[in-house]
Amino acid sequence: MVHAEYTVGSVANIIGAKAIMMNDGPLTTLLTDSRRISNAPEALFFALSNRRDGHQFITDVYKAGVRTFVVSKRPNEVLTDANYLIVPDVLQALQALAAHHRRQFDLRVVGITGSNGKTIVKEWLYQLLMPDQNIVRSPKSYNSQIGVPLSVWNIKPVNDVALFEAGISAIGEMRRLEAVIQPEIGVLTHLGAAHDEGFTDREQKLNEKMLLFKDSKLLVGQYEELLSYKDRNTSTKFFCWSRRYDQADLYVIGEDTKKKDLYLRAIYHQQEIECHIPFTDQASVENAITCWSTLLALGYQPEVISERMERLTPVSMRLELKNGVNDCSIIDDSYNSDIQSLEIALNFLKQQNQHPIKTLILSDIYQSGLDEDELYRRVAAMLTDVGLNKFIGVGEALKRHSDLVLIDNKYFYNDTSELLSDIQRLNFRDETILLKGARSFEFERISRALVQKAHETVMEINLNALVNNLNFYRSKLAPGVKVMAMVKAFSYGSGTFEIANLLQYHKVDYLAVAYIDEGVALRTAGITLPIMVLNPEPNAFDKLVNYNLEPEVYSFHLFDELSQYLQDNDIINYPVHLKIDTGMHRLGFEAGEIAELCKLLVQNASFKVRSVFSHLVSSDSSVHDDFTLTQILKFEQAFKQIQEAIGYEFIKHINNTSGITRWGVAHYDMVRLGIGLYGVDAAVTDPAALQPIASLKTSISQIKNIKAGETVGYNRNGSLAKDGRIATVRIGYADGYLRAFGNGVGSMLVKGKLVRTVGNIAMDMCMLDVTGVDAKEGDEVIVFNDQQGIEELAKQIGTIPYEILTNISQRVKRVYFYE
Ligand SMILES: *Cc1c(COP(=O)(O)O)cnc(C)c1O
């Protein structure tokens, strides 16, 4: 086995690049995201062009210390000391480098694909093989054209086994991933209907997926799914499982639930074998059987497997951001700990600006493939990169390397119990705390001690979905068109700094809030983006100025008041945004007032016009397209008139969410993205384009059997036609579940079934008809999610999604997660 050492020159050779080389230094780290730089001096940055052209970030990456770049265009300006490796296709170069790296090792590489369950199966195989193998695996669900090469790059000489997942969404992609992974052993997880868009049918999808295994020696999967393939392929050894066919290698004959466990029985080599797993849901059971088959195929003894399967633990791929005690925010990532997922989590920590102190609680890291010294040296360097203020190390290895951590405020403990007994002294207050620990350290105990107890109704916000939605709209804009993200009304009910931090990190250009206090709250939480205030109140002008917020000016009255205030305080050139009324008749200067406005602007030095804008009344509806067009024309006239009068440039904008896709001609310099960010847009017909970001969940407090005709709730409004069961759930109109949903108008999901409300909605609770549903006290109840969306709720009570979202009261805890 060769230990691969790479330098600028050797990499240039491997990827066949034309090189502009200033030095031949060592390269150890691959980077593809300009916002995530680590180990800069030994890093190689790939200027990939996916949504945005990576070449445009080279200067930023250079400033962060990176000196070597793989590019597809000759640079206009050659930066001092920089090495450029010029290739025709940057992504292909990344893949070629990873494929080369892979070929340097002859460890057992397991390639995992399928429509669902890839990440779970990978993580469980890791848990099952860890006691006697040194394993390298894909971090999180790194399974894409970029994620796979980055995963494969992590192979080290000490590894015995590699577990890599491969995910595809179009024809042609698997061939490329196969060349990078080169799996000796293939595992096919469940082949469901997920991600069908890129394929004409199931057969085509299966064939494409099977390309991953074209040179594999052994293939594991479900008998029914591999059947057609097996006949065609004689050189590969198969290990199949089935519940129906006794010719399968593992023929599953029994599945009995015992409390929270499942007892599995199967025939293997003509003998009955068994195992217990701590899960009962169908998806987990199938994934567990896949893992069981894989270990048998690898030659493990049934008794050994059974003992390990019993200890499988849930796989949480998400980082959760929650409210903690003493004004802290807790980022909970206490299920796994390896250097790549640490990097992802630290990066998320870095985005958080709401508290002055950033804290990391970290356990020892296992199986990194690096020697201890090197490992903790790297970890220490990562901490410096994110600007950490406080470090708490748990575990003996970290303690041994405590001097590597260059942060004054540092503490070390041998184990979690020792930390917990010292938690008073650690005095957590106004901090963002990242919890990152290997499973055996049981950091969930720390999480329980630090996270605020929530009333059991929570709104979960999916931050990945938000980023997806932002990128969807960005893809509709010409280069250079700015995005103003509307975060008024608590980001349409979704949160304040949590959302703004993310938007700032993803480099939107502007934020907009409704009132000055909303802007102050964002500034206090560390948001530095420009912020426009739609409806500035004169009694808070001092805060407007102190917090550097930019007002909308919509009337002569406001113009006078604000300019008087600015003059009194000797302020000139204060940035303002002029609102033109082109038909909404809400706020704004009308056509007949523009001349007068221009005159005042020219005489008055208080203001600097930052932008001129208007608002469409019906951008989503074709019925009103003619009217929209008149609005656009009026707007053009107005801004031209102002431009001419004041003689300098400003930003022009008119489109809200629905206008972005429908009125491309009117993007001007900026668009104002509101509800689309939160996953709702009537003008977007492709259901896969936008993702709902919020789900609202509550739980059952009590279940009662009710006789036909008995009444339920206030004023005896509800009753059941037949004898049945009702469940009382912990949400009422004070939480934002309006009274209009009562008496069967609204429905919620219990155990996957839609059930209707019974009787009036009360302040803090309401009742559901759960007759015939296998529900029990404590069960989760979904008010809305991606199955029953907010559009559906809005329809039920005759309102619009905006109102549903913004009604959810502040009493309902928000939990943010990031996958
Ligand atoms: C709220 C608001 C928007 C955003 O509208 P969406 O339909 O949510 O995209 C845009 N501009 C102004 C002036 C607004 O008040």
Side-chain angles (χ1 to χ4, degrees):
M1 225 184 280
V2 196
H3 181 51
E5 302 264 3
Y6 298 98
T7 64
V8 178
S10 69
V11 168
N13 257 332
I14 293 165
I15 63 176
K18 249 189 282 166
I20 304 179
M21 249 172 75
M22 297 301 160
N23 64 60
D24 194 19
L27 293 176
T28 55
T29 305
L30 307 187
L31 304 175
T32 59
D33 184 337
S34 62
R35 296 157 307 190
R36 286 178 30 194
I37 307 294
S38 60
N39 198 18
E42 297 188 358
L44 176 61
F45 178 76
F46 288 82
L48 294 167
S49 307
N50 21 356
R51 266 183 291 260
R52 292 208 267 170
D53 183 359
H55 293 82
Q56 124 196 25
F57 303 109
I58 287 180
T59 314
D60 287 350
V61 177
Y62 176 87
K63 282 191 196 133
V66 177
R67 288 295 175 270
T68 311
F69 305 93
V70 180
V71 296
S72 62
K73 300 189 257 248
R74 197 165 262 285
N76 297 336
E77 164 211 15
V78 175
L79 300 161
T80 323
D81 297 338
N83 305 306
Y84 297 93
L85 309 183
I86 306 166
V87 294
D89 181 328
V90 176
L91 178 61
Q92 228 162 42
L94 171 66
Q95 294 173 345
L97 180 57
H100 171 90
H101 185 68
R102 161 69 185 93
R103 283 194 296 273
Q104 309 310 305
F105 300 91
D106 61 2
L107 74 176
R108 300 192 102 171
V109 176
V110 182
I112 304 164
T113 195
S115 300
N116 301 312
K118 295 185 283 292
T119 303
I120 309 274
V121 166
K122 179 201 67 196
E123 289 298 316
W124 280 355
L125 285 176
Y126 172 74
Q127 292 179 20
L128 295 167
L129 294 169
M130 196 178 74
D132 51 25
Q133 304 288 335
N134 193 312
I135 303 164
V136 55
R137 69 195 200 279
S138 326
K140 303 259 169 184
S141 47
Y142 270 38
N143 60 30
S144 67
Q145 295 290 312
I146 300 170
V148 167
L150 294 179
S151 306
V152 167
W153 183 252
N154 292 321
I155 304 177
K156 302 272 183 327
V158 298
N159 299 132
D160 313 308
V161 173
L163 305 171
F164 295 130
E165 49 176 299
I168 52 168
S169 52
I171 292 291
E173 290 185 346
M174 194 57 99
R175 198 176 294 280
R176 302 177 67 166
L177 297 185
E178 192 278 334
V180 177
I181 299 176
Q182 303 155 38
E184 176 195 331
I185 298 159
V187 175
L188 182 69
T189 67
H190 185 71
L191 194 79
H195 309 297
D196 262 339
E197 302 96 54
F199 306 94
T200 49
D201 57 33
R202 236 178 107 90
E203 191 58 27
Q204 191 194 36
K205 185 166 76 165
L206 177 67
N207 287 339
E208 176 73 14
K209 295 209 170 188
M210 297 311 273
L211 288 176
L212 178 61
F213 310 127
K214 77 178 178 45
D215 295 326
S216 298
K217 299 205 180 76
L218 169 68
L219 188 47
V220 181
Q222 194 179 356
Y223 184 81
E224 291 88 323
E225 289 185 339
L226 292 179
L227 198 55
S228 63
Y229 188 75
K230 207 173 161 191
D231 296 339
R232 277 183 275 149
N233 197 314
T234 46
S235 59
T236 311
K237 203 167 151 272
F238 283 80
F239 189 105
C240 298
W241 66 271
S242 177
R243 291 173 163 129
R244 277 197 289 154
Y245 297 92
D246 60 3
Q247 57 273 51
D249 304 274
L250 184 70
Y251 172 42
V252 180
I253 53 169
E255 299 175 44
D256 303 306
T257 313
K258 289 199 179 141
K259 293 202 182 136
K260 287 185 169 165
D261 285 359
L262 190 83
Y263 174 52
L264 284 165
R265 287 178 302 126
I267 306 290
Y268 170 65
H269 283 335
Q270 282 98 44
Q271 294 204 344
E272 188 170 324
I273 62 170
E274 58 173 43
C275 73
H276 289 260
I277 54 169
F279 302 93
T280 57
D281 64 285
Q282 261 319 301
S284 297
V285 173
E286 290 199 3
N287 291 331
I289 298 174
T290 304
C291 293
W292 194 13
S293 306
T294 309
L295 265 77
L296 287 168
L298 288 171
Y300 280 83
Q301 290 307 311
E303 308 77 56
V304 174
I305 305 174
S306 149
E307 186 204 320
R308 292 183 189 178
M309 297 268 287
E310 236 168 277
R311 295 198 306 260
L312 284 178
T313 47
V315 174
S316 170
M317 282 296 114
R318 49 194 239 183
L319 282 170
E320 291 195 342
L321 175 63
K322 303 171 184 166
N323 290 328
V325 296
N326 302 332
D327 277 325
C328 290
S329 300
I330 312 296
I331 303 171
D332 200 341
D333 190 16
S334 54
Y335 281 106
N336 55 52
S337 177
D338 53 75
I339 197 156
Q340 293 82 23
S341 70
L342 174 63
E343 193 197 334
I344 295 168
L346 282 174
N347 193 55
F348 188 66
L349 176 65
K350 190 170 159 185
Q351 292 172 36
Q352 306 302 317
N353 305 297
Q354 62 272 28
H355 305 297
I357 299 176
K358 291 188 170 71
T359 302
L360 168 64
I361 306 182
L362 179 72
S363 80
D364 285 354
I365 293 176
Y366 296 139
Q367 293 208 345
S368 64
L370 301 169
D371 73 59
E372 241 183 41
D373 242 31
E374 170 71 13
L375 168 66
Y376 292 108
R377 211 172 289 284
R378 285 227 193 146
V379 169
M382 285 160 81
L383 307 187
T384 318
D385 285 348
V386 287
L388 201 73
N389 310 94
K390 186 164 165 184
F391 179 81
I392 296 158
V394 183
E396 290 165 9
L398 268 167
K399 203 165 181 174
R400 275 196 295 278
H401 295 87
S402 57
D403 53 331
L404 291 176
V405 176
L406 301 176
I407 292 167
D408 295 337
N409 209 351
K410 58 182 177 181
Y411 305 82
F412 292 86
Y413 299 96
N414 285 312
D415 56 36
T416 303
S417 301
E418 204 179 290
L419 182 157
L420 284 170
S421 63
D422 202 30
I423 205 157
Q424 292 305 333
R425 189 174 70 99
L426 288 167
N427 189 24
F428 296 110
R429 201 165 294 278
D430 204 4
E431 303 171 31
T432 308
I433 305 170
L434 169 60
L435 278 175
K436 184 86 186 123
R439 214 167 274 276
S440 58
F441 282 89
E442 299 180 345
F443 271 19
E444 56 276 15
R445 291 164 61 202
I446 308 178
S447 164
R448 276 198 294 274
L450 294 181
V451 170
Q452 235 178 43
K453 305 284 170 289
H455 125 222
E456 281 190 67
T457 299
V458 293
M459 181 143 114
E460 290 190 348
I461 308 286
N462 178 345
L463 297 177
N464 296 80
L466 189 103
V467 174
N468 167 78
N469 297 341
L470 172 64
N471 287 332
F472 168 76
Y473 288 102
R474 274 193 166 147
S475 73
K476 306 287 167 205
L477 304 177
V481 176
K482 294 179 173 15
V483 174
M484 173 183 271
M486 308 305 283
V487 294
K488 60 193 181 190
F490 198 50
S491 294
Y492 291 44
S494 303
T496 54
F497 60 79
E498 299 90 349
I499 303 291
N501 273 333
L502 191 74
L503 293 167
Q504 175 161 296
Y505 179 75
H506 287 278
K507 297 199 159 47
V508 305
D509 303 278
Y510 254 97
L511 296 177
V513 294
Y515 295 104
I516 291 171
D517 278 348
E518 295 179 346
V520 172
L522 292 181
R523 285 277 181 260
T524 317
I527 301 299
T528 54
L529 281 176
I531 300 176
M532 175 169 99
V533 181
L534 295 166
N535 207 339
E537 322 89 291
N539 62 12
F541 281 164
D542 52 341
K543 285 198 233 165
L544 182 90
V545 170
N546 288 340
Y547 288 89
N548 193 17
L549 305 170
E550 304 179 8
E552 161 182 331
V553 173
Y554 52 78
S555 71
F556 290 118
H557 182 73
L558 180 59
F559 187 108
D560 290 341
E561 271 185 304
L562 185 58
S563 102
Q564 193 59 54
Y565 174 86
L566 294 171
Q567 277 167 30
D568 292 348
N569 290 280
D570 293 326
I571 298 168
I572 58 165
N573 287 336
Y574 199 79
V576 296
H577 301 264
L578 302 176
K579 172 79 151 286
I580 311 301
D581 183 354
T582 54
M584 176 78 90
H585 299 322
R586 192 170 66 176
L587 298 178
F589 295 98
E590 289 175 30
E593 298 174 322
I594 309 283
E596 172 71 9
L597 174 64
C598 289
K599 211 167 87 199
L600 290 174
L601 282 170
V602 172
Q603 291 167 356
N604 190 313
S606 302
F607 299 135
K608 169 94 185 177
V609 178
R610 196 42 66 79
S611 86
V612 173
F613 74 108
S614 186
H615 196 26
L616 298 175
V617 303
S618 194
S619 60
D620 60 339
S621 143
S622 54
V623 182
H624 299 295
D625 278 355
D626 287 346
F627 188 80
T628 302
L629 204 55
T630 63
Q631 282 197 277
I632 292 173
L633 295 174
K634 281 186 188 168
F635 175 57
E636 294 218 358
Q637 256 166 10
F639 73 66
K640 282 182 183 147
Q641 206 177 336
I642 296 170
Q643 176 95 64
E644 220 156 85
I646 64 177
Y648 59 83
E649 288 288 325
F650 47 77
I651 302 170
K652 302 170 278 291
H653 47 118
I654 190 166
N655 264 319
N656 64 335
T657 294
S658 296
I660 297 176
T661 47
R662 298 197 68 243
W663 292 95
V665 291
H667 285 170
Y668 301 109
D669 308 313
M670 183 157 81
V671 295
R672 299 188 305 277
L673 178 57
I675 197 139
L677 262 184
Y678 311 99
V680 180
D681 183 349
V684 173
T685 45
D686 174 4
L690 293 180
Q691 295 171 11
I693 73 156
S695 45
L696 181 60
K697 297 180 175 172
T698 182
S699 59
I700 299 179
S701 323
Q702 196 175 15
I703 293 196
K704 286 175 189 295
N705 292 312
I706 299 285
K707 291 244 172 319
E710 282 187 301
T711 66
V712 177
Y714 283 119
N715 302 102
R716 309 194 58 200
N717 260 7
S719 63
L720 301 185
K722 286 191 253 163
D723 292 1
R725 297 204 313 155
I726 58 151
T728 303
V729 297
R730 297 179 166 97
I731 188 168
Y733 57 78
D735 299 296
Y737 196 67
L738 301 181
R739 283 186 88 249
F741 285 113
N743 300 300
V745 173
S747 52
M748 300 187 194
L749 283 154
V750 179
K751 293 262 152 152
K753 295 208 177 75
L754 272 181
V755 298
R756 303 217 151 266
T757 58
V758 185
N760 288 332
I761 309 293
M763 189 184 290
D764 310 310
M765 5 189 178
C766 64
M767 278 68 89
L768 302 172
D769 179 357
V770 292
T771 311
V773 180
D774 170 31
K776 45 183 197 318
E777 294 174 356
D779 277 356
E780 181 179 84
V781 175
I782 311 270
V783 184
F784 57 74
N785 66 357
D786 41 12
Q787 275 176 58
Q788 170 170 258
I790 40 184
E791 293 95 331
E792 183 56 36
L793 266 74
K795 225 179 281 162
Q796 287 166 359
I797 62 165
T799 181
I800 51 175
Y802 299 77
E803 197 181 19
I804 300 288
L805 272 176
T806 55
N807 261 326
I808 308 301
S809 96
Q810 292 307 302
R811 178 167 90 178
V812 175
K813 292 280 179 304
R814 270 70 171 170
V815 173
Y816 301 84
F817 67 92
Y818 186 78
E819 287 168 328

